[in-house]
Amino acid sequence: MIAAAGLVTLSACGGGSGADYSFAEQLDRIPAEHIEQMDYLLVAGTNYDRLEEITGEPKPEPPDLPVDEDPEAEEQWRDWFARTHAGPSPYDVHQGPSIISMNPQINNVMSDELGADTRHLSHYVEATAGQWMFLVGQLPESAEVYETEDEVLDSSLSEHLRVATQDQALVAALLEDEQNLLEPAGETLADDEDLLAAAEAIDAEPWYSAQIITALPNQRERPDFEPLEEYLWLGFAVDEVEGEHTTRVVFVHEESETAEINAERFEAALEASDREHIEFMEAETDGRVLTVHLRNDPEAGPSLFQMAAWYFEPMFGYNSED
């Protein structure tokens, strides 16, 4: 068991809430080791406080744990998870791999040892690459948690799952090596200036769901439209503005000239894709960063993140000779 350092209920530290929650600030809390060896990196965030501001619906209270082998309790858990991590319909909230992996049994152990678990998070950002996972989340002020330094969760279901809590922050990581989860040594994701630029572009306006992934080379035969020029990072920021669902798509490039070219090419590619549930609003460039503003109907088709990361939509592919 984790040795509890005392029961505390502290105000959130650096977490922010609602429209003030910063994606970019969380990058400095996530270590960058192991990332260079990965072909694909996903950094994703969910802001339940912002979603409540938009919908007027607070995050549903989770069912009691433990679930054990009670079929009715298991069903209640699945229903709650679907409603919470898929968002209140028709709001699109990314289900992060680390959140999905926190099954009732793991959350039960985490709650016993920390006083709270991932079910209670107000907002979080996670990074996943292969078998590596790192989550930094913020608990509401009302959550009573035990403060603890980096410890391995005492569960046979999570041999390498490490957890830590401090000032209402909850950190969970799937790591084999020991390190201070609360204050990572060495480089962090924020040291990648291109990744940081994508995160700062996401934070330029409010969001309730956001993702950044590595650039996507063409995954299949050439489409009829002209592919994008090569870029480095691809980001998505989902929100609602005056009752309309919006997505900002962020591309980070090596050169500002490439960003200007892709501003025109993405609009042409979207038009050629004939996606009726997505409406182009505008494209703006800020140096190497291109941000495309779109209206979208989440009930009429897949999200742009799904189209890019899961379905390999050609309009997100860049012009590669490979």
Side-chain angles (χ1 to χ4, degrees):
M1 289 284 288
I2 293 174
L7 186 66
V8 295
T9 305
L10 303 175
S11 61
C13 178
S17 62
D20 297 327
Y21 183 58
S22 171
F23 195 112
E25 288 182 6
Q26 313 313 311
L27 298 186
D28 199 37
R29 304 168 65 190
I30 302 176
E33 62 178 346
H34 309 309
I35 296 300
E36 293 182 358
Q37 290 76 35
M38 305 296 181
D39 294 329
Y40 182 86
L41 172 66
L42 165 65
V43 188
T46 297
N47 183 347
Y48 298 111
D49 286 350
R50 173 60 180 166
L51 195 55
E52 181 178 348
E53 289 176 357
I54 294 170
T55 65
E57 298 180 26
K59 183 180 179 182
E61 287 294 324
D64 293 334
L65 290 174
V67 171
D68 294 329
E69 297 180 1
D70 183 343
E72 184 175 343
E74 287 277 5
E75 184 176 355
Q76 290 178 350
W77 169 269
R78 288 195 298 270
D79 288 347
W80 171 84
F81 190 93
R83 285 186 296 119
T84 305
H85 297 290
S89 179
Y91 296 88
D92 174 55
V93 178
H94 169 72
Q95 296 186 48
S98 58
I99 292 294
I100 292 174
S101 70
M102 300 298 179
N103 60 41
Q105 289 77 17
I106 291 179
N107 268 318
N108 183 44
V109 174
M110 189 180 297
S111 184
D112 284 347
E113 300 189 8
L114 301 180
D117 54 71
T118 60
R119 299 173 304 145
H120 304 105
L121 293 175
S122 297
H123 23 64
Y124 69 89
V125 169
E126 63 168 0
T128 53
Q131 298 300 312
W132 178 88
M133 175 275 286
F134 202 101
L135 176 145
V136 290
Q138 204 72 25
L139 295 160
E141 294 182 18
S142 58
E144 296 183 338
V145 297
Y146 291 103
E147 285 203 344
T148 178
E149 296 181 354
D150 176 17
E151 298 285 352
V152 177
L153 195 64
D154 185 18
S155 170
S156 61
L157 298 172
S158 54
E159 183 179 354
H160 301 297
L161 181 62
R162 310 186 71 85
V163 292
T165 55
Q166 183 182 70
D167 295 343
Q168 302 305 101
L170 186 153
V171 181
L174 197 60
L175 301 170
E176 294 187 24
D177 52 331
E178 294 185 11
Q179 59 180 272
N180 188 334
L181 300 186
L182 299 170
E183 297 180 8
E187 292 189 351
T188 67
L189 294 188
D191 290 311
D192 186 317
E193 61 180 15
D194 300 315
L195 177 57
L196 181 61
E200 291 174 339
I202 284 174
D203 285 336
E205 297 179 25
W207 55 271
Y208 67 79
S209 183
Q211 304 86 31
I212 302 174
I213 57 178
T214 47
L216 297 171
N218 289 321
Q219 301 287 339
R220 51 192 182 193
E221 295 181 3
R222 300 281 186 186
D224 295 334
F225 51 82
E226 193 167 15
L228 301 177
E229 289 299 307
E230 186 170 358
Y231 58 94
L232 304 171
W233 293 98
L234 175 60
F236 302 89
V238 183
D239 202 64
E240 182 178 281
V241 179
E242 297 180 349
E244 294 185 313
H245 296 275
T246 63
T247 301
R248 287 176 290 123
V249 184
V250 174
F251 300 88
V252 179
H253 308 79
E254 287 189 351
E255 305 289 342
S256 59
E257 292 81 1
T258 311
E260 295 286 351
I261 293 171
N262 280 346
E264 296 182 3
R265 289 192 180 179
F266 186 82
E267 181 179 5
L270 177 60
E271 183 177 354
S273 71
D274 195 29
R275 296 283 186 171
E276 295 183 357
H277 70 292
I278 302 170
E279 178 186 354
F280 180 87
M281 296 171 61
E282 66 172 336
E284 57 181 355
T285 57
D286 181 5
R288 300 181 300 116
V289 180
L290 164 64
T291 302
V292 181
H293 298 257
L294 305 167
R295 293 189 185 94
N296 52 276
D297 183 353
E299 293 184 300
S303 72
L304 285 116
F305 171 72
Q306 291 173 322
M307 291 166 61
W310 300 350
Y311 306 145
F312 305 117
E313 169 62 46
M315 67 180 176
F316 292 102
Y318 64 74
N319 192 4
S320 173
E321 299 300 326
D322 296 335

